[in-house]
Amino acid sequence: MVTLVSFLGKGQHNSGYRDTDYIFDDGDVYAHQKYIGLALQKKLEADKVILLGTSSSMWDVFLEAGSDALEEQWFSLSDAVKTSSVTEELLQPFEQYLQQQLNAQVRCILIPFARTTQEQIEILSVLANALSEHEDIILDVTHGFRHLPMLSLVAARFLKVLKFVHVQHIYYGALDMTSAEGTPVLKLDGLLNLLDWIDALGKFDKDGDYGEFSELLIKEGLTLSDVEQLKQAAFYERTSNSSKAREKLSTLFAKLEQINTPIFNLFKTQLMKRLTWFKAANRGLREQQLAQEYFSRRDYLRAVIYAMEGMISQYLYEQKQDENDFSIRKDAQNKLKNKDSFRKLTYLRNALAHGVKPEDRQNDILASLGDEQKMQQSLRDRFKHLLK
C-alpha cells in the first residue's frame, strides 16, 4: 500500500490556488490544476491519501467541486475557513466524496500551525498516528506554510526510525519556477539520500560497522558482490581479524575511488578517511591504528585487544618473523609479558573481558573500571607508545 501525504495551504479566499500546468520529470503534464495533490494522485494512483491542513487552510476551495448534496455543508465549511475555525466534523462529510473522486482511502486531518516546538511535535505525532508500521508513503510539500517542508524532512526521518515508514519520494510543485510551458514538479528524494549518508557516517563513527554504507553504495553504482566484501571486512575487523579485513578492503578501495556521483563525492573524503587504516605499512601498525579508532568510539575492550595484538605484530615485524603464524604469535606474547606496558594491558583486558576485579596491586586499573574518565586516561597512558 502506498500513501500520499499532502499539505493544504491557505491561499487567497477570492481565487484559491493558482491554476497551472504541472510538468513531471518524465514529461507527463497535468493541465489546469489548482491543487497538486490531485495531479499526484492521478499520476501515482496511491491507495490512501492523507490531507493535512490547519483550521484556516483552503479546504473549501479544494472541496468546492463537491456534489450538490453537500452544498449546505460546503457553505458551513467555507464560513469556518474565513474565521479559522474549521473542525474535523465539518470535514468528515467530504471524505466519502473524495474517496469516490480519487478512488482511494481519504483522511482529512487538522494540524496546528507549527508556530512552536510543541505544535511542531504535535504534527509529527499526528502523522505517526495516521500511518502504520512499514508503510510506504509519498510526501507532497508544495502547499502549506513555507516552514512545513523543513518539518516534512524531519518527519521523514522521524517516521523511518519510529515506525519503519519508507518515504519513497518527496514532491514539490515549484510555482516560483513557472514558465510558459508550465510549472515543474521537483523530486527532492536526494535530500532523503543525504540524510541517509549523514546517519550512516554517524552510526559508523559510533560502532565501526562498514555495513551501514551497503545500500547507499549500491545506489551509487557498487554491485551486491562489492558491498558483500564491505560487510565481510566489517565482520573480520570486529572479530579481531585485521588481516582478513585488510584483504577485503584493499580489493574494494579501488572501486570506491572510481565512483564519481554528486552524492558520493560529497561524502567521499570522509568515507575514504575512515577506511585508510588498512594502508599502514605492516600488520602491527594497522592493528595499533584500529586500537586508536576503537578507543575514540569508546569500545574499550576491542581497543585493548587491538593494542595488544598490534604490539605482538610489531614485535614480530621487527624480528622479521611470521606475524600470521599462531604459535609464533603465542611465543611472542609470552616474551612481551615481561614488558610493563604489555603486562598492564593484559590485566586491563582480563578485567574488561571477564568482568572481574584485577589483582590487588593494580589499583589504577581497578579505579579505571569504575570511572570512564579514568578509563580513558588509563588507556591514553598505555597507548602513548603506539604508532611510534
Side-chain angles (χ1 to χ4, degrees):
M1 173 181 283
V2 176
T3 299
L4 171 64
V5 178
S6 183
F7 289 90
L8 192 66
K10 193 167 184 179
Q12 298 297 320
H13 286 298
N14 293 331
S15 59
Y17 289 135
R18 195 170 84 194
D19 188 290
T20 190
D21 298 340
Y22 282 113
I23 306 172
F24 288 82
D25 58 359
D26 60 2
D28 282 355
V29 178
Y30 288 79
H32 304 296
Q33 301 289 319
K34 286 188 175 182
Y35 178 62
I36 192 175
L38 296 178
L40 284 168
Q41 173 57 18
K42 292 174 185 175
K43 180 174 178 60
L44 304 173
E45 298 181 343
D47 304 289
K48 184 166 70 174
V49 178
I50 295 176
L51 302 172
L52 302 171
T54 67
S55 59
S56 63
S57 292
M58 298 298 290
W59 297 99
D60 54 338
V61 173
F62 174 53
L63 300 168
E64 64 185 358
S67 65
D68 293 338
L70 296 176
E71 182 177 359
E72 183 178 342
Q73 290 94 327
W74 182 85
F75 278 116
S76 296
L77 179 63
S78 182
D79 289 340
V81 167
K82 294 172 185 177
T83 58
S84 300
S85 58
V86 174
T87 64
E88 291 189 0
E89 288 74 22
L90 290 171
L91 295 173
Q92 191 171 7
F94 293 95
E95 285 190 352
Q96 186 174 359
Y97 163 74
L98 287 172
Q99 286 179 172
Q100 296 170 350
Q101 295 296 308
L102 302 178
N103 192 29
Q105 299 177 41
V106 175
R107 287 195 62 189
C108 298
I109 301 178
L110 286 173
I111 59 173
F113 291 89
R115 290 170 293 199
T116 65
T117 300
Q118 180 59 41
E119 289 186 347
Q120 293 154 15
I121 291 172
E122 188 176 337
I123 292 176
L124 297 181
S125 180
V126 166
L127 270 173
N129 291 332
L131 296 169
S132 303
E133 287 192 359
H134 302 285
E135 195 163 348
D136 291 321
I137 71 171
I138 296 167
L139 280 175
D140 162 34
V141 298
T142 304
H143 305 291
F145 295 114
R146 292 186 178 181
H147 61 299
L148 288 180
M150 291 184 286
L151 184 61
S152 297
L153 275 179
V154 176
R157 186 56 72 241
F158 169 75
L159 293 168
K160 178 180 179 181
V161 174
L162 186 73
K163 304 197 77 169
F164 313 104
V165 167
H166 173 229
V167 181
Q168 292 183 340
H169 306 292
I170 298 180
Y171 284 99
Y172 174 69
L175 278 169
D176 52 344
M177 298 173 66
T178 300
S179 65
E181 288 75 27
T183 299
V185 180
L186 309 182
K187 264 187 184 179
L188 306 180
D189 303 358
L191 297 178
L192 294 175
N193 205 9
L194 288 173
L195 289 177
D196 287 338
W197 271 97
I198 293 169
D199 282 351
L201 284 170
K203 290 177 181 177
F204 174 78
D205 285 344
K206 183 177 181 296
D207 59 24
D209 183 6
Y210 307 126
E212 294 291 343
F213 301 106
S214 298
E215 292 184 13
L216 298 173
L217 289 171
I218 287 176
K219 291 180 182 178
E220 305 309 312
L222 287 192
T223 65
L224 287 172
S225 176
D226 292 331
V227 298
E228 185 58 33
Q229 285 195 68
L230 192 64
K231 290 179 181 179
Q232 289 176 352
F235 170 75
Y236 287 130
E237 181 187 313
R238 290 158 67 82
T239 53
S240 306
N241 193 339
S242 64
S243 295
K244 276 288 187 180
R246 175 181 179 271
E247 179 184 311
K248 298 297 179 182
L249 287 178
S250 60
T251 303
L252 187 64
F253 201 80
K255 294 182 180 180
L256 290 173
E257 289 184 313
Q258 293 171 9
I259 298 177
N260 184 24
T261 62
I263 286 183
F264 186 74
N265 287 340
L266 184 62
F267 295 96
K268 188 172 186 176
T269 300
Q270 290 300 319
L271 177 59
M272 303 302 253
K273 178 182 177 181
R274 287 160 169 78
L275 302 179
T276 52
W277 66 264
F278 82 92
K279 290 187 173 184
N282 59 67
R283 177 174 170 176
L285 293 178
R286 291 191 290 271
E287 288 171 333
Q288 291 176 40
Q289 180 64 49
L290 284 172
Q292 300 281 13
E293 296 284 346
Y294 280 104
F295 171 64
S296 67
R297 296 173 192 138
R298 299 193 297 183
D299 188 342
Y300 302 123
L301 176 56
R302 193 171 277 121
V304 171
I305 290 173
Y306 267 122
M308 293 175 65
E309 294 301 313
M311 291 181 69
I312 294 171
S313 297
Q314 189 66 21
Y315 171 81
L316 292 174
Y317 175 77
E318 293 169 357
Q319 298 296 317
K320 295 182 170 42
Q321 292 181 276
D322 186 356
E323 56 194 19
N324 295 312
D325 185 286
F326 179 80
S327 61
I328 293 177
R329 292 185 68 83
K330 193 67 176 176
D331 290 340
Q333 181 178 351
N334 290 329
K335 292 176 182 177
L336 286 171
K337 283 181 179 179
N338 297 321
K339 191 172 183 179
D340 184 63
S341 58
F342 189 87
R343 185 172 63 255
K344 287 185 176 180
L345 281 175
T346 302
Y347 292 145
L348 185 54
R349 180 262 177 202
N350 291 341
L352 288 170
H354 302 298
V356 296
K357 293 181 179 180
E359 297 179 26
D360 292 339
R361 65 177 179 273
Q362 295 300 320
N363 291 327
D364 59 329
I365 295 177
L366 181 60
S368 69
L369 293 174
D371 184 282
E372 186 168 18
Q373 289 186 343
K374 291 179 179 178
M375 169 67 74
Q376 291 178 348
Q377 188 57 53
S378 177
L379 288 179
R380 286 193 193 96
D381 294 341
R382 286 162 175 73
F383 284 12
K384 283 179 181 177
H385 66 284
L386 299 182
L387 297 175
K388 292 183 179 178

